[in-house]
């Protein structure tokens, strides 16, 4: 049931729940399991699955008596579920980042993270401690968000300029790689997109004397030698922010066959606050704020020419972390993404919030905006002859609108990619599709987690034709992002399985890897792992077939 509010837009946004269970164990430190251990398989895991599910997320939240403040700050713990002949083994390792190593050696937090400022070393004298406040914070190499692939190699990534090349079999850290050594960027997202030939696209900011710029990056699919990492990476296009001293935060971006779509949202990063944070004793997240009075802007960049299109598409203030898909059809670009009408949530994921219980936990959840899947329909063929102030979306059965305000400005409203009943599951995030075959193409199904808690508590498969969905949900079980694997002789879009790691706060060492039939959404089997795993972020399937 919705909070009473003035507008329909807000009604979709908030849910009212009571008696949420305590999930503290899901955001608590665990031990690594560096050697593979067997699991107990219940049911059947299809023998055609050959490969490993690689996942990443925070796994250590303190050093000595110092604790991290924000969920994103925990040290990266990599997981590997290897699946062969219907059997599964599990191993995990902490990423041997400089941050992890230095913190471990000193048994205190030496390197600042997104929500945690490292305090000056107590062993230094007063004057040295005072001077250290004037140093620019060094970016962390704690790559805890995702596994990504460039030129056939696996890297773990966060949003700074550092990634780590990792052996996908042993999870050993092989090499620290710095984006800024190859191109003039100060970081890149942990969500690249890929063309069918393996060309990777990403985005990263650069900070110049004229202020900040958003950059579209292209990384070629081929490598020139065994030591090759990001050689050949190029900046395809630089985009000036609406306000160069307050660029937008972005976690990902959209991509269709011919365009990269950058979503400039009103979650703003105040560069002055970022630069002076150490001086003021404030962490990076203190410089991030939501400005509901600004519109969201969609920028389209032609992948072939690297040119930004002159037409900009606007919509009301919204926040988005993950896109579902984008494709072009009949002169329109469909952009599907999970979004909410409020952008405060990035600052809500403080560890103490996630570890609350009782009424305080309910209150935390009830004041957070729910994410929902939505479609924007962007008309591509805008000319000086295009009529102003009328809806250009002529797609049948589509309720989205696109209206030219001026010859270079189109204002858009979205259509829901769900029915009313999705609200009962707290909205949907961590979206996945059959990426190998349907990325940048018209598609029918997407998968995600329902969020009736601060973390995902159900798995959902949505059918875009009927807006009906199937659900996997069990009490006290919290699933990770669903990963789709195509079956060997797949004909239909949903021929395959869904993999998700399920954890519980109520029973010790009760993690399991769940395998669902993607078509029916029925459980095929599970592999029980006798260790604790914290709630993670993202992962990929590395096929060995």
């Amino acid at each position: 049931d919705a909070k009473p509010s003035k507008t329909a837009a807000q009604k979709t946004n908030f849910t009212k729940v009571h008696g949420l269970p305590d999930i503290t164990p899901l955001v608590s430190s665990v031990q690594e399991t560096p050697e593979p251990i067997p699991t107990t398989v219940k049911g059947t895991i299809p023998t055609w699955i050959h490969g490993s599910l690689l996942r990443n997320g925070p796994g250590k939240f303190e050093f000595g008596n110092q604790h991290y403040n924000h969920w994103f700050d925990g040290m990266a713990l990599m997981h590997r579920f290897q699946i062969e002949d219907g059997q599964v083994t599990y191993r995990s390792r902490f990423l041997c980042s400089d941050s992890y190593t230095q913190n471990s050696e000193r048994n205190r937090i030496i390197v600042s993270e997104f929500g945690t400022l490292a305090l000056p070393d107590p062993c230094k004298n007063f004057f040295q401690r005072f001077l250290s406040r004037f140093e620019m914070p060094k970016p962390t190499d704690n790559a805890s968000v995702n596994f990504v692939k460039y030129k056939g190699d696996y890297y773990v990534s966060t949003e700074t300029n550092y990634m780590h090349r990792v052996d996908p079999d042993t999870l050993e850290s092989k090499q620290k790689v710095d984006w800024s050594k190859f191109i003039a960027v100060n970081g890149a997202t942990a969500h690249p997109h890929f063309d069918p030939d393996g060309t990777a696209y990403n985005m990263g900011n650069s900070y110049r004397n004229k202020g900040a710029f958003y950059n579209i990056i292209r990384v070629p699919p081929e490598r020139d030698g065994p030591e090759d990492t990001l050689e050949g990476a190029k900046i395809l296009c630089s985009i000036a922010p609406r306000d160069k001293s307050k660029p937008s935060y972005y976690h990902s971006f959209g991509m269709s066959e011919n365009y990269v779509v950058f979503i400039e949202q009103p979650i703003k990063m105040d560069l002055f606050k970022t630069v002076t944070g150490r001086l003021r004793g404030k962490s990076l997240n203190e410089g991030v704020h939501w400005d509901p009075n600004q519109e969201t802007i969609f920028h389209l960049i032609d992948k072939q020419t690297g040119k930004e299109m002159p037409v900009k598409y606007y919509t009301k203030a919204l926040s988005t972390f993950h896109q579902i898909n984008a494709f072009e059809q009949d002169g329109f670009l469909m952009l599907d993404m999970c979004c909410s009408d409020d952008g405060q949530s990035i600052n809500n994921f403080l560890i103490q919030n996630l570890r609350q219980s009782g009424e305080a936990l309910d209150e935390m959840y009830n004041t957070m905006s729910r994410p929902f899947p939505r479609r924007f329909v962007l008309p591509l063929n805008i000319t000086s002859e295009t009529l102003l102030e009328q809806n250009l979306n002529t797609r049948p059965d589509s309720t989205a609108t696109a209206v030219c305000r001026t010859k270079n400005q189109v204002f858009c409203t979205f259509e829901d990619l769900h029915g009313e009943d999705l609200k009962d599951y707290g909205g949907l995030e961590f979206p996945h599709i059959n990426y190998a075959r349907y990325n940048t193409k018209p598609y029918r199904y997407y998968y995600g987690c329902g969020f009736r808690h601060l973390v995902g508590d159900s798995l959902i498969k949505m059918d875009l034709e009927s807006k009906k969905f199937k659900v996997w949900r069990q009490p006290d079980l919290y699933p990770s992002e669903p990963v789709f694997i195509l079956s060997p002789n797949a004909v239909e879009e949903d021929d395959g399985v869904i993999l998700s790691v399920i954890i519980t706060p109520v029973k010790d060492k009760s993690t399991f890897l769940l395998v669902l039939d993607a078509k029916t959404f029925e459980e095929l089997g599970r592999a029980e792992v006798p260790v604790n795993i914290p709630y993670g972020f993202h992962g990929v399937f590395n096929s060995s077939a």
Side-chain angles (χ1 to χ4, degrees):
D1 50 332
K3 248 187 177 180
S5 67
K6 292 174 193 155
T7 66
Q10 284 172 295
K11 277 186 188 165
T12 60
N13 240 339
F14 296 97
T15 37
K16 198 89 168 156
V17 298
H18 301 286
L20 284 178
D22 183 348
I23 56 164
T24 299
L26 308 190
V27 284
S28 298
S29 300
V30 299
Q31 301 295 314
E32 63 181 2
T33 310
E35 294 305 318
I37 57 171
T39 65
T40 306
V41 172
K42 302 275 173 73
T44 308
I45 291 175
T47 51
W48 57 260
I49 306 175
H50 303 283
S52 44
L53 178 65
L54 303 171
R55 284 193 46 77
N56 196 357
K60 184 172 173 63
F61 298 96
E62 65 285 309
F63 284 93
N65 59 5
Q66 295 185 351
H67 296 255
Y68 288 114
N69 298 325
H70 200 285
W71 191 20
F72 301 170
D73 298 347
M75 293 290 99
L77 180 63
M78 303 171 290
H79 311 266
R80 177 180 189 247
F81 294 84
Q82 187 186 5
I83 310 172
E84 288 295 334
D85 302 321
Q87 297 301 309
V88 180
T89 59
Y90 170 78
R91 76 190 318 165
S92 65
R93 268 184 207 274
F94 282 106
L95 174 68
C96 283
S97 61
D98 293 348
S99 303
Y100 180 80
T101 307
Q102 290 169 20
N103 295 338
S104 299
E105 283 168 358
R106 297 282 198 58
N107 201 27
R108 57 187 287 269
I109 295 170
I110 300 288
V111 182
S112 295
E113 299 290 340
F114 174 68
T116 307
L117 185 70
L119 298 171
D121 189 340
C123 300
K124 289 181 174 173
N125 66 35
F126 171 80
F127 187 63
Q128 287 171 313
R129 291 206 301 273
F130 175 73
L131 281 182
S132 75
R133 289 197 176 272
F134 293 87
E135 294 168 2
M136 272 294 283
K138 293 184 178 66
T140 179
D141 66 335
N142 173 37
S144 64
V145 179
N146 203 359
F147 269 90
V148 297
K149 207 172 181 181
Y150 294 106
K151 303 186 186 182
D153 282 333
Y154 280 98
Y155 294 82
V156 283
S157 171
T158 177
E159 297 180 342
T160 68
N161 52 311
Y162 295 119
M163 297 190 298
H164 286 265
R165 192 158 62 85
V166 169
D167 182 320
D169 296 332
T170 64
L171 300 181
E172 285 168 357
S173 314
K174 292 294 187 193
Q175 184 182 5
K176 178 174 160 179
V177 177
D178 181 351
W179 276 102
S180 65
K181 295 275 189 287
F182 299 92
I183 45 174
V185 294
N186 296 76
T189 82
H191 291 287
H193 274 296
F194 302 93
D195 275 344
D197 69 353
T199 301
Y201 293 84
N202 207 334
M203 286 196 62
N205 280 5
S206 55
Y207 303 106
R208 310 172 198 168
N209 51 11
K210 291 182 179 168
F213 285 84
Y214 312 118
N215 301 289
I216 312 292
I217 305 163
R218 181 160 59 198
V219 182
E222 315 82 26
R223 54 204 297 188
D224 294 330
E227 298 308 306
D228 194 348
T229 57
L230 297 172
E231 277 81 2
K234 287 196 168 52
I235 291 179
L236 194 62
C237 177
S238 289
I239 301 165
R242 174 191 287 178
D243 177 347
K244 287 187 181 177
S245 67
K246 292 183 179 143
S248 287
Y249 169 78
Y250 53 94
H251 183 76
S252 61
F253 60 98
M255 187 179 89
S256 68
E257 188 181 2
N258 295 298
Y259 298 96
V260 168
V261 186
F262 167 53
I263 300 127
E264 189 173 16
Q265 59 188 350
I267 301 178
K268 297 294 180 183
M269 299 187 296
D270 186 319
L271 296 186
F272 179 75
K273 283 187 174 175
T274 303
V275 170
T276 60
R278 198 177 173 104
L279 192 61
R280 295 178 300 111
K282 301 286 187 188
S283 54
L284 280 175
N285 67 317
E286 302 268 352
V288 178
H289 67 279
W290 165 245
D291 183 353
N293 300 315
Q294 287 199 22
E295 290 180 341
T296 303
I297 311 173
F298 301 116
H299 301 263
L300 267 56
I301 295 88
D302 185 309
K303 285 157 69 176
Q304 266 41 64
T305 65
K307 295 268 191 301
E308 187 182 357
M309 308 312 283
V311 176
K312 304 277 176 291
Y313 303 85
Y314 292 76
T315 190
K316 68 186 179 85
L318 59 79
S319 72
T320 180
F321 281 91
H322 302 111
Q323 281 70 55
I324 307 169
N325 199 2
F327 61 93
E328 298 154 45
Q329 198 174 46
D330 305 327
F332 296 96
L333 190 151
M334 268 54 70
L335 178 64
D336 297 352
M337 57 192 195
C338 296
C339 26
S340 86
D341 299 319
D342 181 271
Q344 311 277 16
S345 69
I346 193 166
N347 285 325
N348 287 341
F349 285 107
L350 299 170
I351 302 270
Q352 76 247 30
N353 291 345
L354 291 162
R355 290 179 180 169
Q356 285 180 353
S357 59
E359 283 182 17
L361 179 61
D362 292 347
E363 180 60 21
M364 182 73 234
Y365 178 87
N366 291 336
T367 53
M368 279 173 72
S369 169
R370 303 286 95 220
F372 283 96
R374 297 170 174 175
R375 171 170 293 176
F376 289 88
V377 178
L378 313 182
L380 295 171
N381 304 323
I382 306 286
T383 67
S384 53
E385 323 287 85
T386 303
L387 292 169
L388 302 183
E389 302 304 331
Q390 63 172 265
N391 183 15
L392 303 173
N393 178 16
T394 53
R395 287 174 66 82
D397 307 323
S398 171
T399 55
T401 68
V403 173
C404 263
R405 294 196 288 210
T406 69
K407 65 179 175 40
N408 282 338
Q409 279 195 16
V410 179
F411 187 81
C412 301
T413 66
F414 61 84
E415 62 182 282
D416 291 326
L417 295 181
H418 63 89
E420 283 291 304
D421 47 357
L422 186 62
K423 292 173 189 173
D424 298 336
Y425 291 86
L428 181 143
E429 247 294 353
F430 290 150
H432 259 243
I433 60 168
N434 177 348
Y435 191 96
R437 290 202 183 166
Y438 289 87
N439 184 48
T440 76
K441 297 181 175 71
Y443 69 114
R444 181 172 172 181
Y445 301 107
Y446 64 86
Y447 310 88
C449 286
F451 273 77
R452 277 294 274 193
H453 208 306
L454 296 175
V455 298
D457 73 332
S458 60
L459 291 167
I460 290 172
K461 174 194 182 179
M462 182 69 74
D463 181 343
L464 284 172
E465 282 186 15
S466 64
K467 304 270 174 80
K468 289 193 164 39
F469 59 87
K470 294 181 161 75
V471 181
W472 184 94
R473 187 178 185 206
Q474 291 181 16
D476 297 318
L477 296 183
Y478 295 87
S480 72
E481 153 192 85
V483 173
F484 176 86
I485 310 175
L486 198 62
S487 66
N489 305 311
V491 176
E492 296 187 23
E493 183 181 337
D494 57 352
D495 284 344
V497 297
I498 291 291
L499 300 182
S500 176
V501 180
I502 315 291
I503 54 180
T504 178
V506 297
K507 200 169 158 211
D508 199 38
K509 298 179 178 169
S510 300
T511 306
F512 60 92
L513 176 68
L514 175 70
V515 184
L516 297 179
D517 181 316
K519 199 178 273 295
T520 63
F521 232 52
E522 297 293 321
E523 180 174 335
L524 295 172
R526 56 176 72 179
E528 296 173 346
V529 189
V531 298
N532 290 325
I533 295 180
Y535 198 88
F537 296 137
H538 299 289
V540 294
F541 185 72
N542 174 27
S543 174
S544 59

